[in-house]
């Protein structure tokens, strides 16, 4: 039990617009979406490669999805999955499932059949939305055959494109289209929505009903389903919207982050619904397509991960792109190197700010201010109504010593209900104040400065144990990023019979860089502590990355250690 007072520094120097102590009344996702659609009307909510879908059209699609699902026998409490890239079907299915009173389960389009089958079984997913893409449908069909999944609902990408592009897609992209077999368990998306969309509203308790199961590695361990309630999601969307210093401005979000990921789910999808904006949707991130979309639509915001911003900088057309339309670029998902931020802002003249969040927090916990003074190397200040405190790294019931790093705990309306069917994991990740306040253990180690800006030092599970000392990989990586030749860097622990582990660094180099691993090792080690010194710097052509493009330490460890 925690009895100490939470950190209060940001309350005295809050740099986000409005007050920190705002209240976010209980609100269902359905009520949020219906209200936005009523206001938005014929205004575009989606721009998909040039084809626009209005708020009213998207609402009609969601209503039809809900009625179609009910006709197939699904109802409140059922888990229905989305195995989709960024396509318009995602929005209709997502909000349609919620209108039914059912729960959305997000699945990565990159999952193998085994990974998808495992999470389908774990969540009890009954039906699964996908599209007739060769990269997706065969995997979904295999899971349908070999698991308890009852039904596939399959959409067509060609049908969502502008007329001219639809014809070209059908003529020249047959290799990308998988044939849909005739099977009573497979329903065409077009058939599912062939109804009038009229359905009585379903009662929803925003604070207890689960809207989304978002699979995550958790703060530790194997993937677990974070249960996010309607209130968790709507509160976080409203919190993110509340830190926009220009809420009345036009809002066109470049939607290149995958919507199945919690960062995009809040910052691209739900927040744009709240703001009445438009999602400039691309099926996946491609630097050339992203630059072209910024120019074509005059996008005002670009949420992304550091590797996306690096890819844009590396593209030869960046110098020909007008970025003056961008009000803010928001970096999350991984630490943003200061050198990358500086270079991106110099080249584009756009503001790039870093934020932080987890699946367990519905997406966002903190961010640097969009305007005014932020602090490079920090994750900014907490969102309104969000509390952050530091506790002892070994014992979360004890406060951290003044000035020392500690494990970051978070409390707020966006914190998940718990893990799906994992009370054991809940017991590990939640701690409670004597007044009942629920705090989420993030597994991240951080420090808070006098102005309430939070700096991540590292993750508890990523720490390397060297002869009884704890080494933080990110501190070594931060030094490596100062070398002009280094483009990407990851440090992992290598088993050592004497010391337990020793650090080893892996890097990729900037184009044209002329150096070696041996030279980088000789440059690095004199600048860091003895226990931090690496046995080698290994130069690689590429680094393993996650679906959203952030460097994957887990996959690198698997490659190196097997």
């Amino acid at each position: 039990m925690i009895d100490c007072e939470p950190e209060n520094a940001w309350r005295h120097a809050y740099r986000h617009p409005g007050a920190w102590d705002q209240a976010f009344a209980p609100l269902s996702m359905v009520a949020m979406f219906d209200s936005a659609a009523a206001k938005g009307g014929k205004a575009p909510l989606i721009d998909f490669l040039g084809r626009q879908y209005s708020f009213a059209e998207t609402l009609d699609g969601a209503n039809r999805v809900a009625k179609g699902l009910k006709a197939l026998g699904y109802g409140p409490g059922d888990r229905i999955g989305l195995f989709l890239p960024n396509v318009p079907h995602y929005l209709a299915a997502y909000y349609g499932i919620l209108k039914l009173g059912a729960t959305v389960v997000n699945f990565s389009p990159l999952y193998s059949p085994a990974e998808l089958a495992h999470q389908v079984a774990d969540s009890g997913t009954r039906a699964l939305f996908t599209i007739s893409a060769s990269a997706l449908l065969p995997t979904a069909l295999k899971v349908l055959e070999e698991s308890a999944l009852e039904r596939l609902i399959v959409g067509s990408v060609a049908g969502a494109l502008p007329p001219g592009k639809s014809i070209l897609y059908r003529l020249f992209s047959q290799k990308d289209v998988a044939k849909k077999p005739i099977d009573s368990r497979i329903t065409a998306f077009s058939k599912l929505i062939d109804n009038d969309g009229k359905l009585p509203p379903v009662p929803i308790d925003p604070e207890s009903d689960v809207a989304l199961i978002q699979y995550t590695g958790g703060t530790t361990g194997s993937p677990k389903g974070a249960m996010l309630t309607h209130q968790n999601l709507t509160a976080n969307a409203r919190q993110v919207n509340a830190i926009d210093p220009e809420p009345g401005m036009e809002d066109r979000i470049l939607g290149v982050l995958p919507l199945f990921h919690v960062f995009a789910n809040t910052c691209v999808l739900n927040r744009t619904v709240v703001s009445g904006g438009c999602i400039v949707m691309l099926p996946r991130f491609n630097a050339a397509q992203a630059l072209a979309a910024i120019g074509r639509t005059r996008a005002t915001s670009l949420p992304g991960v550091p590797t996306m911003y690096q890819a844009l900088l590396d593209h030869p057309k960046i110098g020909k792109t007008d970025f003056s339309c961008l009000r803010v670029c928001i970096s999350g998902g991984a630490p943003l190197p200061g050198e990358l931020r500086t270079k991106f802002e110099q080249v584009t003249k756009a503001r790039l700010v870093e934020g932080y969040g987890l699946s367990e927090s519905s997406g966002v916990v903190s961010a640097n201010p969009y305007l005014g003074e932020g602090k490079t190397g920090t994750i900014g200040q907490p969102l309104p109504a969000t509390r952050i405190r530091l506790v002892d790294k070994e014992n979360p019931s004890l406060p951290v010593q003044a000035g020392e790093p500690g494990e970051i705990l978070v409390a707020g309306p966006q914190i998940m209900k718990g893990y799906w069917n994992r009370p054991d994991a809940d017991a590990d990740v939640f701690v409670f104040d004597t007044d009942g306040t629920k705090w989420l253990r993030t597994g991240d180690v951080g420090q808070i400065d006098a102005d309430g800006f939070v700096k991540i030092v590292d993750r508890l599970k990523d720490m390397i144990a060297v002869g009884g000392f704890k080494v933080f990989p990110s501190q070594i990586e931060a030094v490596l990023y100062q070398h002009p030749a280094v483009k990407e860097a990851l440090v992992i622990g290598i088993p050592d019979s004497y010391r337990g582990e020793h650090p080893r660094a892996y890097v990729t180099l900037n184009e044209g860089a002329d150096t070696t691993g041996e030279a980088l090792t000789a440059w690095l080690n004199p600048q860091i502590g003895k226990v931090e010194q690496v046995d080698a710097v290994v130069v690689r052509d590429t680094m393993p990355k996650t679906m959203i493009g952030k460097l994957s330490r887990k996959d690198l460890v698997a490659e190196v250690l097997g």
Side-chain angles (χ1 to χ4, degrees), residues 299-320:
T300 62
S301 179
L302 170 57
V305 295
T307 50
M308 289 183 182
Y309 298 113
Q310 184 65 59
L312 293 176
L313 282 174
D314 291 342
H315 198 275
K317 290 187 177 180
I318 189 164
K320 301 176 182 178

Side-chain angles (χ1 to χ4, degrees), residues 240-384:
V240 172
N241 199 50
I243 66 170
D244 186 342
E246 302 171 300
M249 298 285 285
E250 284 187 295
D251 202 12
R252 288 183 298 280
I253 308 296
L254 188 59
V256 293
L257 285 169
L259 292 175
F260 83 86
H261 192 275
V262 73
F263 181 12
N265 202 264
T266 285
C267 290
V268 175
L269 178 55
N270 294 330
R271 187 263 170 179
T272 307
V273 167
V274 169
S275 73
C278 177
I279 302 169
V280 179
M281 184 184 292
L282 296 179
R284 61 183 177 84
F285 175 72
N286 174 284
Q289 290 179 356
L291 292 172
I294 291 171
R296 177 178 65 83
T297 67
R298 305 295 292 161
T300 62
S301 179
L302 170 57
V305 295
T307 50
M308 289 183 182
Y309 298 113
Q310 184 65 59
L312 293 176
L313 282 174
D314 291 342
H315 198 275
K317 290 187 177 180
I318 189 164
K320 301 176 182 178
T321 304
D322 181 2
F323 291 93
S324 62
C325 54
L326 286 175
R327 292 195 291 127
V328 67
C329 299
I330 307 158
S331 181
L336 176 66
E339 296 79 6
L340 173 58
R341 178 194 170 189
T342 299
K343 185 176 181 182
F344 186 85
E345 291 188 337
Q346 287 174 344
V347 171
T348 66
K349 310 305 180 191
R351 172 88 166 187
L352 178 57
V353 302
E354 184 172 4
Y356 166 79
L358 311 91
S359 296
E360 292 88 346
S361 69
S362 307
V364 189
V365 165
S366 66
N368 275 277
Y370 295 177
L371 296 177
E373 184 184 354
K375 295 194 178 185
T376 300
T378 77
I379 56 171
Q381 295 178 320
L383 297 185

Side-chain angles (χ1 to χ4, degrees), residues 12 43 144 209 313 332 354 412 435 451 468 559:
H12 308 299
L144 181 66
D209 289 348
L313 282 174
E354 184 172 4
D435 65 1
D451 294 323
E559 285 183 22

Side-chain angles (χ1 to χ4, degrees), residues 113-148:
E115 290 171 318
L116 180 60
H118 171 74
Q119 291 186 9
V120 163
D122 183 73
S123 61
T125 294
R126 295 183 62 193
L128 186 70
F129 283 81
T130 191
I131 56 172
S132 55
S134 57
L136 295 171
L137 186 55
T139 295
L141 289 170
K142 187 172 179 63
V143 173
L144 181 66
E145 290 299 325
E146 299 179 1
S147 75

